Amino acid sequence: MLDSLIAVFLVIATGWLLKVRNIVTPAHWIGVERLTYQVLFPAVVIHTLATADLRSVPVAAMGMSLVMAILSIAALLLLLRPLLARGGIAGPAFTSIFQGSVRWNTFVALALAAGLQGRTGTTLMAIAVASMIPLLNVTCVLVLARFANGKPMSVGTTVRSILYNPFIWSSAAGLLLNQAQGLLPTAFTSYLDVLGRASLGIGLLVVGSALDLDRLARPRLAHWVAVELKLVAMPLAAWLYAGWFGVTGPALTMTVIAGSVPTATAAYFLARDLGGDAPLMAEITTLQTLLALATLPAAVFLLTRFSPLEFARAMQFIIASR
């Protein structure tokens, strides 16, 4: 776990170094970001979903665990909205906290899945991609439409933002192609595979290029709310729901990883495009990415030792023995 995680963060650190040394200029990073967001990431999503053997893995149980975890954290945040507003957190800032609390960095999750369990890990993470990405992007666009800039977007603008989102249409395309796996030309799947392999390395470099350590001198309430919910509450929620739905073994590990990775750098682009607090979003992303080096292996180590039911029985035995 540590070997895979360290390798991922070394690539992220390389992206940060390329930026601060100006080896890749800001103008070029914009092009790399757009390439990753619009082309490379959709390719890895389509390839992962189209070629995954979803019959051999607990699709419904794992998918529902992650969906319920997202909905629980989202509902909690919406309930906390009046309290956060009293604490001086305006609508655009709230949208950044929301994205920072529920979204996940798919590049980091896929890299860890492949490093830990190879093809099996990638297939299992494909379930997370299929279940989380459409829900997260629809939810985040709706929250931005409602709270960013102080006025809701029109229904038509909201629908277009959802339909044109690369994360959503690529997920839909991948699931559709999965139904015709045996009919897909090898040249086509190889083409997607080449682009997909490029997306992991380049995507992690982009994550590193988005880090801005100067912004983290004085973390505020908004930062810590997003950190606690994403790096602590979300893994716990995913683990609890996984126990409820009977997810065990490698699928449980991948479920916890999907819940434990820091928020997505794509959240910054969405905040910038739809009127959210983009600077705060960048700060939250940076802080979570750095802290995840410690929290992610801790979450996986602690939460995959026992299922929630086994943990409850162990605690009951300890209490009874006293």
Side-chain angles (χ1 to χ4, degrees), residues 164-179:
Y164 294 159
N165 189 294
F167 295 88
I168 292 178
W169 63 254
S170 60
S171 298
L175 289 173
L176 184 63
L177 291 173
N178 184 272
Q179 306 305 309

Side-chain angles (χ1 to χ4, degrees), residues 41-93:
F41 186 76
V44 75
V45 171
I46 293 171
H47 182 264
T48 301
L49 292 176
T51 60
D53 183 8
L54 299 179
R55 295 167 299 178
S56 63
V57 289
V59 176
M62 185 176 168
M64 282 303 299
S65 300
L66 293 167
V67 166
M68 291 303 297
I70 292 168
L71 292 177
S72 297
I73 300 299
L76 176 61
L77 269 169
L78 291 173
L79 289 173
L80 291 174
R81 167 72 185 129
L83 290 176
L84 294 173
R86 291 194 196 105
I89 295 175

Side-chain angles (χ1 to χ4, degrees), residues 27-193:
H28 289 131
W29 277 119
I30 293 173
V32 174
E33 289 168 356
R34 290 184 62 83
L35 172 66
T36 305
Y37 185 62
Q38 300 286 350
V39 179
L40 298 182
F41 186 76
V44 75
V45 171
I46 293 171
H47 182 264
T48 301
L49 292 176
T51 60
D53 183 8
L54 299 179
R55 295 167 299 178
S56 63
V57 289
V59 176
M62 185 176 168
M64 282 303 299
S65 300
L66 293 167
V67 166
M68 291 303 297
I70 292 168
L71 292 177
S72 297
I73 300 299
L76 176 61
L77 269 169
L78 291 173
L79 289 173
L80 291 174
R81 167 72 185 129
L83 290 176
L84 294 173
R86 291 194 196 105
I89 295 175
F94 173 75
T95 65
S96 292
I97 293 174
F98 188 91
Q99 287 204 88
S101 300
V102 299
R103 296 191 70 148
W104 68 318
N105 196 309
T106 318
F107 296 116
V108 175
L110 285 170
L112 285 173
L116 285 172
Q117 296 179 357
R119 183 66 182 173
T120 300
T122 303
T123 300
L124 287 166
M125 202 55 73
I127 300 173
V129 169
S131 58
M132 294 173 74
I133 285 179
L135 172 63
L136 284 172
N137 282 278
V138 170
T139 305
C140 289
V141 167
L142 290 175
V143 167
L144 279 156
R146 171 64 182 84
F147 294 106
N149 279 335
K151 60 179 181 179
M153 289 191 301
S154 67
V155 174
T157 302
T158 303
V159 170
R160 282 194 298 273
S161 297
I162 293 171
L163 293 179
Y164 294 159
N165 189 294
F167 295 88
I168 292 178
W169 63 254
S170 60
S171 298
L175 289 173
L176 184 63
L177 291 173
N178 184 272
Q179 306 305 309
Q181 260 186 30
L183 303 176
L184 296 177
T186 302
F188 177 68
T189 56
S190 297
Y191 158 74
L192 291 175
D193 185 38

Side-chain angles (χ1 to χ4, degrees), residues 60-62 64-69 72 236-248 252 255 306-310:
M62 185 176 168
M64 282 303 299
S65 300
L66 293 167
V67 166
M68 291 303 297
S72 297
L236 280 171
W239 177 70
L240 287 170
Y241 283 117
W244 188 7
F245 289 110
V247 179
T248 59
L252 177 61
T255 301
F306 303 96
S307 70
L309 180 59
E310 291 171 333

Side-chain angles (χ1 to χ4, degrees), residues 8-22 24 26 29 33 105 108 202-217 223 231 262-266 268-269 278-293:
V8 166
F9 274 86
L10 283 174
V11 180
I12 292 173
T14 301
W16 175 79
L17 187 63
L18 291 172
K19 181 191 72 170
V20 297
R21 289 298 207 180
N22 209 33
V24 179
W29 277 119
E33 289 168 356
N105 196 309
V108 175
I202 295 175
L204 292 174
L205 291 175
V206 170
V207 172
S209 73
L211 299 182
D212 189 348
L213 303 185
D214 294 336
R215 293 182 179 274
L216 301 180
H223 299 87
L231 301 184
T263 194
T265 52
Y268 172 80
F269 305 128
L280 175 61
M281 192 69 255
E283 294 162 14
I284 290 172
T285 303
T286 302
L287 186 61
Q288 286 189 4
T289 303
L290 295 174
L291 292 177
L293 186 58

